[in-house]
């Protein structure tokens, strides 16, 4: 780690030549995050010629301040002002007001807490069935058998896409989140399949492909009413398929890992199952499935005693902010007594994750089913991280469960 | 630290109870009978984001709740602007704002909420009657930013009564001003009888104008006409400025919510954790079921029908209309 005191052109600006997308940081980002937070509110990352922020106060403020930190130039390292994006930009994630307004309003309504009530009973029943099934084996990989299996069981149905080819969703999402980083080995690994995966996803966004009552059909109905245009509708459906799978998978893996390694918290959840909602947000705070997003300064923005120049990219470390000891007591602890409210794991402001209520409902269903039936979860073998430029992800989480 | 120990929460940036009280930072005459107010947070914080068509509730003494469209600049995150027409036959809300509300005063605010969002189109025809210009002003700005082809037809009693007419002049012949005492009523047939391809019509103003617009657009393809009516809302139940009791049905506890403290804070102070995130009534994380009582909804999430149902509330900003609420907590 080379954190020098100053950076050329900025008298007091700390800088770092660490590669936040390197395998060492992706395997264990916490030491780098701590250095970042301690170096100052704004740090120059010399390897990529971008600014970085790791403290909760500045990350929260920058996420909220869409007026000064735009998303339209891309929320990855690539600057859309100068470079052509690898796919048409997202109307949600990579757009600013006023273009962002209508797609966001449509999706917020379709994925809002009130709209999701109709899914609740079915998802709880699905979670119970899946739990019964894994309990019969006793030992299994919680990544594939629960964290991937449950979202893949309920979410594509809720969107309304057909059964065939759903195995494409995870590799597509994995590549998409890699592509927010630099064009490194992780991106190169995904490149050969991306044309095929994109074509498969794009084809699922058309009305003929979508079940009548799913989120996708509701998006097309909004287009028929004129709330968005017919040209926007497939891109809004694409946002669901892009952002709705991998993020939830790794969020669920995070909460399962946390419980497997904190048996006292599991007992606590079993005593009070209503803590399932808090547990998921606490795990999202602790693990931050989405670790980073970039913004681009719209103007010269004074922040933390320096000036972030117009047009420069700023890398916001959601994961570092969510463990900032300035904001959280004992930030590295998974604790259901904590109130994780205010974490930035879902972002904040106008771009805050529009699917967060969907993710919460999935996790509440799964944790409730497990808490009812499982006395104890324990790690049964070496856990393996999966490296992704944006996601704090898992490859394998072998567990043993003891039925209640 | 053992997981069960209780401890004080660390200070939250931006969290706090005074969020829905805004200060009148400025007031000026916008036209004959129209006063424009700028509102800001007493602590200089950002205000919740909004988009054209959004309104806020001003909660006035005696429980009068009035809705006013935001007509300022959404790129200024620190100030809201509303314009209020004095309604001589009104029930006292506008008179209070014109005669009593002074610069520096605090006023309780709900929302913003948007029942009249601007949707994408290549062309817009904006039709305003009188104070109905307010939601259309930011729409005009955004149509301009988006490079859409737009026109504004703006009618009023007299030139002097038409708020913001001056600032619209920069748009040249995109704007047609029709003061009634000079030119009579706007010639709707010539504007509307021929449906214009790919044109959305956004109209706001008094009932008779909107009825005329609706009649003229009856043969237009569906979805092109969008209106917002400036009519007095059915009088809402008195909004309390006294304390109220919140019973937490599942915990079997009761808490008293005093003025200046949010329901969320009161519930947390009683040791019950409720997840929240934005704490400004925009994200929906703190949704809580209402089992009894009538919530005073001040969020930016529910539409008018959902607010009427009263079966849930966002406890970071919403309060109670009556002395008691029973929540599903």
């Amino acid at each position: 780690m080379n954190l020098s005191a100053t950076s050329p052109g900025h008298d007091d600006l700390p800088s770092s030549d660490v590669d936040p997308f390197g395998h060492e940081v992706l395997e264990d980002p916490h030491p780098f995050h701590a250095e970042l937070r301690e170096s100052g509110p704004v740090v120059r990352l010399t390897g990529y010629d971008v600014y970085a922020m790791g403290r909760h106060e500045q990350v929260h403020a920058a996420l909220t301040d869409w007026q000064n930190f735009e998303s339209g130039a891309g929320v990855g390292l690539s600057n859309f002002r100068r470079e052509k994006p690898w796919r048409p930009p997202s109307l949600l994630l990579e757009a600013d007001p006023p273009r962002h307004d209508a797609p966001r309003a449509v999706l917020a309504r379709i994925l809002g807490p009130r709209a999701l009530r109709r899914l609740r009973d079915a998802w709880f029943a699905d979670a119970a069935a899946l739990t019964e099934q894994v309990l019969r084996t006793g030992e299994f990989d919680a990544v594939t058998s629960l964290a991937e299996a449950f979202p893949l069981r309920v979410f594509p149905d809720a969107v309304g896409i057909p059964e065939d080819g759903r195995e494409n969703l995870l590799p597509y999402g994995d590549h998409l989140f890699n592509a927010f980083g630099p064009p490194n080995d992780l991106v190169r690994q995904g490149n050969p399949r991306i044309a095929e995966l994109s074509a498969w996803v794009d084809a699922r966004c058309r009305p003929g492909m979508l079940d009548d009552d799913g989120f996708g059909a509701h998006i097309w109905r909004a287009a028929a009413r004129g709330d968005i245009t017919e040209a926007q509708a497939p891109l809004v459906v694409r946002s669901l398929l892009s952002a709705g799978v991998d993020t939830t998978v790794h969020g669920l893996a995070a909460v399962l890992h946390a419980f497997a390694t904190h048996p006292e918290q599991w007992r606590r959840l079993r005593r009070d199952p209503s803590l399932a909602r808090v547990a998921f947000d606490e795990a999202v705070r602790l693990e931050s499935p989405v670790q980073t997003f970039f913004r681009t300064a719209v103007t010269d923005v004074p922040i933390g005693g320096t000036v972030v120049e117009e047009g420069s990219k700023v890398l916001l470390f959601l994961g570092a902010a969510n463990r900032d000891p300035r904001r959280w007591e004992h930030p590295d602890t998974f604790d259901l007594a904590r109130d994780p409210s205010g974490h930035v794991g879902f972002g904040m402001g106008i771009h805050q994750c529009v699917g967060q209520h969907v993710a919460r409902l999935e996790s509440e269903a799964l944790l409730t089913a497990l808490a009812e039936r499982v006395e104890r979860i324990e790690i049964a073998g070496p856990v393996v991280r999966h490296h992704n430029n944006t996601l704090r992800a898992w490859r394998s989480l072998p567990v043993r469960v003891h039925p209640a | 630290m053992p997981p069960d120990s209780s401890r004080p929460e660390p200070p939250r940036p931006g969290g706090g109870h005074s969020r829905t009280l805004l200060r009148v930072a400025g007031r000026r005459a916008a036209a004959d009978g129209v006063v424009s107010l700028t509102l800001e947070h007493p602590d200089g914080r950002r205000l919740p984001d909004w988009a054209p068509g959004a309104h806020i509730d001003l909660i006035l003494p005696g429980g009068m709740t009035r809705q006013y469209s935001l007509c300022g600049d959404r790129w200024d995150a620190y100030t809201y602007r509303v314009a209020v027409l004095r309604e001589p036959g009104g029930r006292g809300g506008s008179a209070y704002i014109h005669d009593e509300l002074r610069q520096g005063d605090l006023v309780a605010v709900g929302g913003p909420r948007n029942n009249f969002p601007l949707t994408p189109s290549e062309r817009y025809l904006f039709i305003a009657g009188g104070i109905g210009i307010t939601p259309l002003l930011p729409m005009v700005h955004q149509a301009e930013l988006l490079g859409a082809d737009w026109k504004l037809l703006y009618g009023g009693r007299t030139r002097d009564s038409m708020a913001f007419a001056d600032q619209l002049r920069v748009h040249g012949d995109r704007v047609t001003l029709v003061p009634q005492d000079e030119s009579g009523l706007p010639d709707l047939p010539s504007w509307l009888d021929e449906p214009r391809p790919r044109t959305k019509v956004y109209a706001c103003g008094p009932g008779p104008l909107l009825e005329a617009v609706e009649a003229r657009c009856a043969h237009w393809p569906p979805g092109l006409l969008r209106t917002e009516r400036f009519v007095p809302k059915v009088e809402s139940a008195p909004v309390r400025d006294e304390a109220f009791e919140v019973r937490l049905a599942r915990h079997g506890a009761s808490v008293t919510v005093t003025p200046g403290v949010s329901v969320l804070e009161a519930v947390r102070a009683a040791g019950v954790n409720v997840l929240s995130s934005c704490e400004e009534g925009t994200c929906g994380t703190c949704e809580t079921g209402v089992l009894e009582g009538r919530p005073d909804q001040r969020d930016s999430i529910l539409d008018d029908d959902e607010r009427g149902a009263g079966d849930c509330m966002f406890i970071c900003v919403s309060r109670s209309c009556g002395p008691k609420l029973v929540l599903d907590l």
Side-chain angles (χ1 to χ4, degrees):
Chain A
M1 189 102 24
N2 279 308
L3 282 156
S4 62
T6 60
S7 164
H10 293 83
D11 285 347
D12 299 314
L13 187 64
S15 69
S16 166
D17 63 3
V18 172
D19 179 4
F21 304 103
H23 285 278
E24 194 187 336
V25 173
L26 296 182
E27 179 65 24
D28 178 12
H30 304 305
F32 172 64
H33 287 177
E35 296 248 18
L36 194 63
R37 286 188 304 257
E38 293 321 304
S39 306
V42 183
V43 176
R44 190 82 186 155
L45 295 183
T46 54
Y48 296 108
D49 198 25
V50 299
Y51 293 94
M53 298 185 197
R55 294 185 184 174
H56 185 274
E57 183 187 341
Q58 279 79 27
V59 170
H60 188 285
L63 286 169
T64 315
D65 186 3
W66 59 267
Q67 286 93 342
N68 282 314
F69 292 107
E70 68 172 341
S71 294
V75 298
L77 178 62
S78 165
N79 190 331
F80 295 177
R81 295 179 184 187
R82 297 191 292 266
E83 296 164 68
K84 190 175 149 45
W86 68 277
R87 59 172 207 174
S90 161
L91 300 176
L92 279 301
L93 193 65
E94 297 160 327
D96 302 293
R99 286 183 171 79
H100 174 260
D101 296 335
R104 172 80 191 192
V106 162
L107 209 46
R109 184 140 291 269
I110 292 169
L111 304 180
R114 295 176 60 85
L116 297 183
R117 285 180 193 173
R118 66 189 174 91
L119 296 172
R120 192 177 175 89
D121 290 346
W123 284 13
F124 272 66
D126 275 329
L130 181 63
T131 303
E132 299 285 353
Q133 185 189 322
V134 298
L135 271 176
R136 284 198 284 275
T137 62
E139 261 191 53
F140 54 89
D141 190 329
V143 171
T144 46
S145 301
L146 289 177
E148 291 180 0
F150 187 61
L152 288 175
R153 181 172 176 137
V154 297
F155 186 73
D157 278 350
V159 176
I161 62 169
E163 296 270 348
D164 70 293
R166 288 182 181 184
E167 68 278 4
N168 290 327
L169 286 169
L170 286 171
Y172 178 77
D174 189 51
H175 182 75
L176 164 70
F177 283 98
N178 272 326
F180 292 125
N184 58 12
D185 61 315
L186 293 169
V187 176
R188 281 192 297 276
Q189 265 169 38
N191 277 337
R193 284 198 67 202
I194 198 55
E196 165 216 346
L197 293 173
S198 282
W200 181 85
V201 166
D202 292 347
R204 264 73 211 153
C205 300
R206 299 277 150 202
M209 279 285 189
L210 293 160
D211 185 73
D212 236 17
D213 195 34
F215 301 144
H218 285 285
I219 290 167
W220 278 96
R221 262 176 231 141
R225 287 194 302 271
D227 293 348
I228 50 174
T229 67
E230 304 253 324
Q232 290 175 329
L235 287 172
V236 177
V237 181
R238 193 193 67 179
S239 290
L240 285 174
L241 297 176
S242 303
V245 190
D246 294 63
T247 48
T248 319
V249 165
H250 298 303
L252 290 174
V255 75
L256 293 169
H257 178 260
F259 276 123
T261 51
H262 294 76
E264 78 290 353
Q265 299 297 321
W266 183 252
R267 286 194 292 276
R268 192 180 179 118
L269 174 71
R270 293 202 68 216
R271 283 199 303 276
D272 180 4
S274 74
L275 286 170
R277 276 171 61 81
V278 170
F280 184 65
D281 270 67
E282 170 65 349
V284 170
R285 180 197 70 79
L286 188 73
E287 280 285 296
S288 304
V290 175
Q291 287 273 298
T292 46
F293 270 135
F294 287 87
R295 293 289 188 266
T296 306
V298 175
T299 178
D300 287 354
V301 189
I303 189 161
T306 187
V307 171
V308 173
E309 303 93 356
E310 187 271 333
S312 43
K313 284 263 170 181
V314 183
L315 183 49
L316 305 175
F317 284 84
L318 314 183
N322 282 338
R323 290 187 182 218
D324 184 353
R326 292 162 193 78
R327 172 63 180 79
W328 313 96
E329 243 178 86
H330 304 282
D332 300 326
T333 313
F334 177 72
D335 181 359
L336 298 193
R338 180 201 306 283
D339 180 359
S341 302
H343 72 75
V344 292
F346 290 123
M348 199 49 74
I350 60 168
H351 290 286
Q352 195 180 36
C353 174
V354 73
Q356 60 183 294
H357 306 298
V358 180
R360 287 202 183 99
L361 184 60
E362 287 182 39
S363 77
E364 193 186 352
L366 189 60
L367 290 178
T368 304
L370 285 167
E372 232 170 76
R373 293 167 180 79
V374 174
E375 170 83 37
R376 204 162 85 238
I377 307 177
E378 57 199 25
I379 302 287
V383 302
V384 186
R385 287 285 179 177
H386 169 73
H387 292 186
N388 181 287
N389 283 332
T390 304
L391 301 172
R392 184 87 175 116
W394 301 80
R395 168 148 300 135
S396 177
L397 188 53
V399 294
R400 186 177 308 113
V401 292
H402 302 266
Chain B
M1 176 168 301
D4 278 313
S5 70
S6 63
R7 56 176 180 263
E9 274 294 302
R12 297 157 183 282
H17 52 268
S18 55
R19 186 169 283 245
T20 53
L21 274 185
L22 299 185
R23 180 166 56 212
V24 179
R27 47 174 291 148
R28 63 175 194 86
D32 279 356
V34 178
V35 62
S36 118
L37 303 178
T38 51
L39 303 171
E40 64 183 14
H41 195 282
D43 300 342
R45 287 188 209 143
R46 272 184 80 94
L47 301 175
D49 291 303
W50 61 281
H55 66 267
I56 53 172
D57 303 324
L58 295 190
I59 298 131
L60 305 173
M64 291 183 290
T65 300
R66 298 291 183 271
Q67 303 187 332
Y68 297 102
S69 297
L70 291 169
C71 61
D73 175 8
R74 67 188 297 203
W75 274 263
D76 170 4
Y78 298 89
T79 312
Y80 287 159
R81 183 172 72 170
V82 294
V84 180
L85 170 70
R86 180 196 287 276
E87 297 185 60
R91 293 152 304 147
S94 68
Y96 174 85
I97 290 167
H98 274 258
D99 301 336
E100 309 288 336
L101 195 62
R102 294 282 153 241
Q103 189 165 334
D105 287 354
L106 293 177
V107 60
V109 171
R113 196 175 293 116
N114 201 341
N115 300 323
F116 190 39
L118 186 67
T119 59
S121 187
E122 292 168 41
R123 297 196 182 92
Y124 295 102
L125 170 58
F126 298 113
I127 302 178
I131 196 66
I133 189 64
T134 49
L136 301 183
L137 266 190
M139 290 189 186
V140 160
H141 178 223
Q142 292 207 175
E144 193 69 13
L145 278 179
L146 290 163
D149 185 8
W150 64 271
K151 295 223 180 304
L152 167 66
L153 174 62
Y154 178 12
R157 282 181 298 106
T158 67
R159 208 168 273 276
D160 288 342
S161 75
M162 294 167 70
F164 308 114
D166 279 358
Q167 81 181 60
L168 287 164
R169 203 161 287 148
V170 300
H171 298 297
D173 63 1
R174 283 190 184 278
V175 176
T176 304
L177 296 182
V178 189
Q180 195 178 344
D181 61 343
E182 296 171 30
S183 328
L185 293 171
D187 179 17
L188 293 181
S190 78
W191 286 84
L192 294 173
D193 277 7
E194 194 67 42
R196 298 171 185 221
R198 298 189 297 278
T199 300
K200 277 186 180 158
V201 180
Y202 277 77
C204 183
L209 172 75
L210 297 187
E211 279 148 33
V213 169
E214 275 159 13
R216 291 286 161 192
C217 289
H219 61 294
W220 284 47
L224 292 180
L225 171 64
R226 313 248 163 162
T227 60
E228 184 166 67
R229 229 159 253 274
F230 265 36
V231 290
K233 220 166 57 103
V234 179
E235 185 66 53
S236 60
V239 176
R240 298 178 69 78
D241 43 20
E242 306 128 79
F244 52 92
E245 186 198 346
V246 171
R247 190 164 165 73
L248 313 177
R250 280 187 275 135
H251 285 81
S254 277
V255 294
T256 301
V257 183
T258 52
V261 172
S262 70
V263 175
L264 178 67
E265 288 169 318
V267 167
R268 280 185 181 150
V272 176
N273 260 355
V274 179
L275 275 182
S276 70
S277 182
C278 72
E279 300 199 2
E280 58 185 25
T282 58
C283 76
T285 302
C286 67
E287 183 188 15
T288 302
V290 176
L291 304 175
E292 275 176 49
R294 216 167 122 219
D296 166 19
Q297 314 275 19
R298 296 194 190 175
D299 61 85
S300 310
I301 301 157
L302 302 179
D303 63 26
D304 288 344
D305 286 347
E306 293 169 331
R307 295 175 77 198
D311 58 352
C312 75
M313 68 188 285
F314 301 92
I315 63 174
C316 62
V317 291
S318 294
R319 304 185 68 81
S320 176
C321 291
K324 186 175 170 187
L325 279 178
V326 182
L327 300 182
D328 186 17
L329 284 177

